[in-house]
């Protein structure tokens, strides 16, 4: 009889502690995780020249730093050649690149030998044709894109915003 009673007390105590620990575990395991912002997947951007105008069809583009970006550039002109050049800098850098392109010639895509400030470019594209370029979006900031075919800059330009 005496041992049975001890067993009952033990079982009662054990059961009580199990319930307590279960409750403690429950509260301890409250909401965790969540995690940071999802990284952006690759982006494909279609852009063109605006008919016979010295202009792009889009003057603003957006990307996320580190994102894989594909630019599909369509020349919608019948008569003029165009390219698409993403500049690592603002107006002054764009002007330097455009000036260097004047004498570079079509075979060099109207880009000078020093392309350290060129993030990416679509080669000189004939009317009605489409060319593409893949690149990794640079650090957050604002970048100009231009056409360096002689006489087209500063008319042909736009801004890519990277965040
Ligand atoms: Cu052009």
């Amino acid at each position: 009889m005496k041992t049975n009673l001890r067993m009952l007390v033990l079982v009662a105590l054990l059961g009580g502690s199990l319930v307590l620990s279960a409750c403690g575990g429950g509260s301890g395991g409250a909401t965790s995780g969540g995690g940071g912002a999802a990284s952006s997947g690759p982006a494909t951007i279609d852009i063109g020249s605006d008919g016979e105008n010295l202009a792009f069809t889009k003057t603003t583009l957006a990307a996320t730093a580190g994102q894989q970006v594909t630019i599909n550039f369509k020349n919608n002109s019948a008569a003029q050649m165009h390219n698409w050049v993403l500049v690592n800098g603002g107006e002054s850098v764009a002007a330097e690149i455009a000036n260097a392109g004047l004498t570079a010639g079509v075979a060099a895509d109207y880009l000078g030998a020093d392309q350290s400030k060129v993030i990416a470019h679509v080669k000189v594209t004939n009317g009605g044709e489409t060319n593409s370029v893949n690149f990794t979006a640079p650090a957050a900031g604002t970048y100009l894109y231009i056409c360096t075919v002689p006489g087209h800059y500063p008319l042909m330009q736009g801004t890519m915003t990277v965040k």
Side-chain angles (χ1 to χ4, degrees), residues 80-91:
Q80 300 170 96
M81 296 183 295
H82 296 294
N83 65 5
W84 182 93
V85 180
L86 184 61
V87 173
N88 192 359
E91 292 278 351

Side-chain angles (χ1 to χ4, degrees), residues 135-149:
F135 63 97
T136 302
T142 302
Y143 302 85
L144 282 181
Y145 56 88
I146 63 174
C147 173
T148 63
V149 172

Side-chain angles (χ1 to χ4, degrees), residues 10-30:
L10 258 173
V11 166
L13 281 172
L14 262 171
S17 70
L18 277 172
V19 168
L20 279 171
S21 70
C23 286
S27 65

Side-chain angles (χ1 to χ4, degrees), residues 32-159:
S32 65
S39 60
S40 297
T44 299
I45 296 171
D46 294 322
I47 185 171
S49 62
D50 182 17
E52 300 305 325
N53 297 321
L54 295 182
F56 290 109
T57 52
K58 295 173 182 172
T59 54
T60 58
L61 300 176
T64 304
Q67 187 176 33
Q68 285 303 117
V69 177
T70 300
I71 297 286
N72 294 323
F73 173 68
K74 182 177 184 196
N75 185 343
N76 293 303
S77 166
Q80 300 170 96
M81 296 183 295
H82 296 294
N83 65 5
W84 182 93
V85 180
L86 184 61
V87 173
N88 192 359
E91 292 278 351
S92 61
V93 177
E96 283 173 26
I97 289 172
N99 283 335
L102 291 176
T103 53
V106 64
D109 288 323
Y110 292 113
L111 287 173
D114 178 7
Q115 296 183 14
S116 59
K117 299 282 179 62
V118 175
I119 296 167
H121 80 278
V122 175
K123 67 182 184 178
V124 169
T125 302
N126 291 320
E129 295 181 354
T130 299
N131 284 309
S132 302
V133 66
N134 302 296
F135 63 97
T136 302
T142 302
Y143 302 85
L144 282 181
Y145 56 88
I146 63 174
C147 173
T148 63
V149 172
H152 294 200
Y153 176 85
L155 292 171
M156 281 188 83
Q157 61 175 289
T159 302

